[in-house]
Amino acid sequence: MTSLDATVPPLEELLGSAHVVSLKLFDRFRGLDNREALLLEGPEGWTEFSPFGEYDDAEAANWLRAAIDFGWQPTPHALRTSIAVNATVPAVPAHKVAEVLARFPGCRTAKVKVASPDQTLADDVARVAEVRRVLGPEGRIRIDANGLWNVDEAEHAIHALSAFDLEYVEQPCMTVPELAEIRHRTAYLSVPIAADESVRKSGDPLAVARAGAADILVIKAQPLGGIRAALSIIGQTGLPVVVSSALDTSVGLSMGAHLAASVPGLYFDCGLGTASLLADDVTREPLLPVNGAVPVRRVVPDAALLTQHAASPERRDWWLARLARTHALVAGA
């Protein structure tokens, strides 16, 4: 995008509809107890800009491109009207697993967070074992380490957890060479390796596919610059994908659902049921899983909920300043 590109609305237009919210989570997730997001209304509907607080402006720019794409451009043709989704189990104690899974009615797949720095492999094993007990033998379990293991730790952990019939292991290590190495070392276990951070946080999101370092790609609309940018990456890699969220509000999840609806081949349940992790949301009709799926539809925030969950003035000012800086990068790119 350039400053002359009509698809980049003026900053004043964005600021005119901006709402900053802070939503409580049922359980701590990624070290967060609340999820903050900035919502915008464009001619095509409501959209979301919610890069995590630790991301710098350069990384946040793709998130704004995604927000503009979804709010100011028509969505691609949808190939399906609902998306099968997985349950997401944070790094909770094993005794809380059943309570978490109950928030995802009908979901046949669970993604389980592992490798939390304040926990042990024994904690991970206990959590995954309990997920297997609750789901039964026909349920699908995938684990996500967020790149927090080194190669040796990953090999040890995957060996220990493979006893629970894993669908795949998401981002066991952080770098592409490490992913390639762990994929080679654990090939005898027949547990596929999925890449997330190596796609969405990379200056070259295709590198992991070229290196043969993953069997599956986890694709998220916001970090990759929007639906069209994500579809381009999917088309170039030739690998199967899982469309997932970044702990979005239901507005952001709607963007993800529209992306998933546009993917020609969708062979895995998607990580778009995460509204169930939010104790609060911006709509009275959140995109919660029903019979294991979420609908593909636009979400309109409720004015009263935007007011009820408004972030503090200090946090609102922080987000609006971030929006202005990021807009300057996107408009001048």
Side-chain angles (χ1 to χ4, degrees):
M1 295 182 181
T2 72
S3 57
L4 300 177
D5 193 333
T7 62
V8 182
L11 177 61
E12 293 74 17
E13 184 177 345
L14 301 184
L15 292 172
S17 67
H19 289 267
V20 180
V21 296
S22 179
L23 307 176
K24 293 181 181 178
L25 303 175
F26 282 113
D27 300 289
R28 176 165 288 201
F29 195 86
R30 294 184 85 260
L32 299 174
D33 296 307
N34 292 72
R35 179 66 165 117
E36 294 181 343
L38 191 155
L39 304 181
L40 304 163
E41 186 178 15
E44 294 295 327
W46 284 86
T47 187
E48 178 168 332
F49 171 64
S50 56
F52 292 104
E54 68 269 22
Y55 293 177
D56 64 21
D57 294 343
E59 187 168 356
N62 261 354
W63 298 64
L64 183 56
R65 292 185 181 99
I68 292 169
D69 177 64
F70 192 53
W72 274 259
Q73 298 295 319
T75 55
H77 173 67
L79 303 175
R80 49 191 70 84
T81 59
S82 66
I83 307 298
V85 299
N86 62 260
T88 299
V89 180
V92 297
H95 71 268
K96 293 195 68 175
V97 163
E99 174 189 333
V100 173
L101 290 175
R103 300 186 203 126
F104 297 84
C107 291
R108 60 185 179 176
T109 303
K111 178 167 88 167
V112 186
K113 289 290 187 177
V114 295
S116 179
D118 60 347
Q119 297 186 6
T120 67
L121 179 57
D123 296 320
D124 293 338
V125 169
R127 186 180 314 110
V128 174
E130 181 63 6
V131 172
R132 173 56 68 205
R133 186 193 71 79
V134 175
L135 290 184
E138 295 182 355
R140 301 172 184 172
I141 297 176
R142 54 186 70 157
I143 60 172
D144 181 9
N146 290 112
L148 293 173
W149 288 322
N150 62 40
V151 175
D152 290 336
E153 290 169 338
E155 183 177 15
H156 180 56
I158 294 170
H159 185 273
L161 293 165
S162 64
F164 302 104
D165 189 19
L166 301 180
E167 184 180 39
Y168 62 74
V169 178
E170 181 175 332
Q171 201 71 42
C173 307
M174 185 54 70
T175 70
V176 170
E178 287 176 323
L179 285 184
E181 175 66 16
I182 193 62
R183 183 170 179 258
H184 172 73
R185 285 199 199 182
T186 59
Y188 73 97
L189 293 171
S190 299
V191 178
I193 301 297
D196 174 13
E197 284 85 350
S198 292
V199 178
R200 63 180 170 88
K201 293 178 74 68
S202 172
D204 181 3
L206 302 178
V208 68
R210 286 198 303 269
D215 304 285
I216 301 160
L217 300 185
V218 177
I219 298 293
K220 298 178 179 179
Q222 280 206 78
L224 292 175
I227 293 174
R228 288 164 182 78
L231 288 173
S232 175
I233 290 169
I234 293 168
Q236 292 179 70
T237 65
L239 291 175
V241 302
V242 176
V243 178
S244 194
S245 74
L247 199 58
D248 309 324
T249 76
S250 282
V251 172
L253 287 171
S254 173
M255 186 194 306
H258 278 83
L259 168 58
S262 305
V263 176
L266 200 61
Y267 307 111
F268 295 91
D269 292 346
C270 290
L272 297 171
T274 50
S276 294
L277 299 176
L278 300 174
D280 303 320
D281 209 331
V282 297
T283 173
R284 300 193 188 280
E285 296 182 350
L287 283 187
L288 293 169
V290 176
N291 296 323
V294 297
V296 180
R297 61 173 172 84
R298 289 271 183 177
V299 170
V300 178
D302 181 276
L305 291 177
L306 289 177
T307 300
Q308 179 181 339
H309 302 309
S312 69
E314 295 79 12
R315 294 304 299 163
R316 181 177 187 275
D317 289 347
W318 185 90
W319 274 97
L320 295 182
R322 187 186 206 186
L323 174 64
R325 296 193 309 271
T326 308
H327 180 272
L329 293 177
V330 171

